[in-house]
Amino acid sequence: MSKATATAHSNIALVKYWGKRNSELMLPQNGSISMTVSDLNVNTTVEFGSFPEDSLVINNQKLNKGTEEYDDYVGIFLNVVRNVVKKDLKAKIVSESNFPIAAGLASSAAGFAALALATSKALNLPTDEKSVSILARRGSGSASRSISGGFVEWKRGEKEDGTDSVAVQIAPKDHWPEFRMLTTIVTSSAKKVKSRAGMAQTLKTCPYYKGWLESVNQDLDIVRKGIIEKDFTSVGQTSEFNALKMHATMMTTKPPIIYWMPSTLEIMQSVMAWREEGLESYFTMDAGPQVKVMCLQKDVLELKKRISELNGVQQVIECKPGDGARILDRHLF
Ligand code: PMV
């Protein structure tokens, strides 16, 4: 049977991955740490066989060969898989997400994590977390982190072949069940500059990128320790500052990349003001306008109410530490 289905959740980085040292193998310039989140998930069924060509349907929409979305992402990934199995198999893929894709909610992380696990199962490749993480990385770097649940670190690795650039769990979801990520949607339209292009442009033209790289290892140490010790202030402060440093490199590329919208800034400034009042929360943003607000369970109700009342906020999704990718019995076709 060369058909399998898997589910995977998105992950939100606390220490961000920004920049590749090898774009073919998707090897990062720096390590990163994330939380796999409970409520944003993608289910994917893949079947390999002698179809005339590959096909891909995401949320009932067919994506065709020849489009950037297809060729630069799933197209490249399937060629990697064909190279591994040394067979010219074609794939039929159907995928469903419960949140808007390409809007900065790590849809590619969940999508490629689910696809990598389903592919490994369908083709009888190893399905242990390390092997699947390495395969998922070839679809999208951050997908390597969605294979494991809870809090996860993607090691930069040193080897040229990428065999040590793999994500490992720091702590399972039950280690810190009070941690929350309030994912705030301010627009559901697709982002303008994909992270892949944004990273490449930053490496080429940002005068501050070196500063980013020099400071990231310290952030990794603080956040890793903060997770283990469940020190919310330390994790929150360092994660927020890390996100701002990443956005500072994006904004200072040529041409500048500004992912924020007015409501992004409004949420950020409100979080800072509420913190002054004693309502402790921190923000983080990825390659898109959405803001994820980190807080503890005890403050969720109050924060959700306040965030929902801000201008432009369409939806607030409460995410807890979630599970890693897993195989499902029920196929989508
Ligand atoms: O893996 P990609 O290509 O989706 O890049 C992810 C980059 C950020 O989301 C901005 C940061 C991160 O570590 O998730």
Side-chain angles (χ1 to χ4, degrees), residues 13 16-18 108 140-142 145 195 199 246 286-287:
K16 310 290 184 186
Y17 143 60
W18 195 246
S108 66
S140 162
S142 55
R145 298 186 308 236
S195 43
M199 283 179 202
M246 176 181 73
D286 292 288

Side-chain angles (χ1 to χ4, degrees), residues 85-100:
V85 295
K86 309 257 180 299
K87 280 188 201 149
D88 189 28
L89 294 169
K90 297 286 189 273
K92 177 175 176 186
I93 306 169
V94 174
S95 206
E96 279 170 10
S97 76
N98 69 345
F99 60 94

Side-chain angles (χ1 to χ4, degrees), residues 11-18 20 26 32-34 73 104 106 108-109 139-143 145 154 191 194-196 199 246-247 250 285-288:
N11 68 77
I12 308 296
L14 302 170
V15 178
K16 310 290 184 186
Y17 143 60
W18 195 246
K20 296 178 176 58
M26 300 273 201
S32 53
I33 291 179
S34 59
Y73 293 85
S108 66
S140 162
S142 55
R145 298 186 308 236
W154 173 20
K191 62 190 170 199
K194 298 232 163 50
S195 43
R196 198 165 293 182
M199 283 179 202
M246 176 181 73
H247 278 271
M250 296 163 164
M285 299 79 55
D286 292 288

Side-chain angles (χ1 to χ4, degrees), residues 144-253:
S144 65
R145 298 186 308 236
S146 273
I147 304 304
S148 306
F151 298 86
V152 180
E153 177 165 4
W154 173 20
K155 304 277 184 191
R156 176 193 188 274
E158 297 303 324
K159 294 187 184 165
E160 301 240 316
D161 66 0
T163 48
D164 60 348
S165 185
V166 59
V168 290
Q169 190 179 62
I170 297 174
K173 64 172 192 174
D174 303 334
H175 165 73
W176 203 357
E178 303 82 14
F179 199 100
R180 290 289 181 281
M181 199 64 89
L182 302 180
T183 301
T184 304
I185 300 185
V186 297
T187 173
S188 45
S189 57
K191 62 190 170 199
K192 290 201 178 69
V193 183
K194 298 232 163 50
S195 43
R196 198 165 293 182
M199 283 179 202
Q201 188 174 308
T202 307
L203 248 81
K204 251 195 225 151
T205 64
C206 172
Y208 305 125
Y209 188 70
K210 204 167 160 264
W212 158 260
L213 281 184
E214 279 167 6
S215 72
V216 120
N217 281 341
Q218 196 185 4
D219 293 351
L220 288 169
D221 290 342
I222 296 171
V223 170
R224 193 188 305 112
K225 185 167 179 275
I227 289 168
I228 291 165
E229 293 173 356
K230 295 196 262 184
D231 181 343
F232 181 63
T233 303
S234 170
V235 171
Q237 278 177 350
T238 311
S239 303
E240 183 178 285
F241 192 53
N242 181 270
L244 288 169
K245 285 189 287 188
M246 176 181 73
H247 278 271
T249 72
M250 296 163 164
M251 287 176 186
T252 48
T253 63

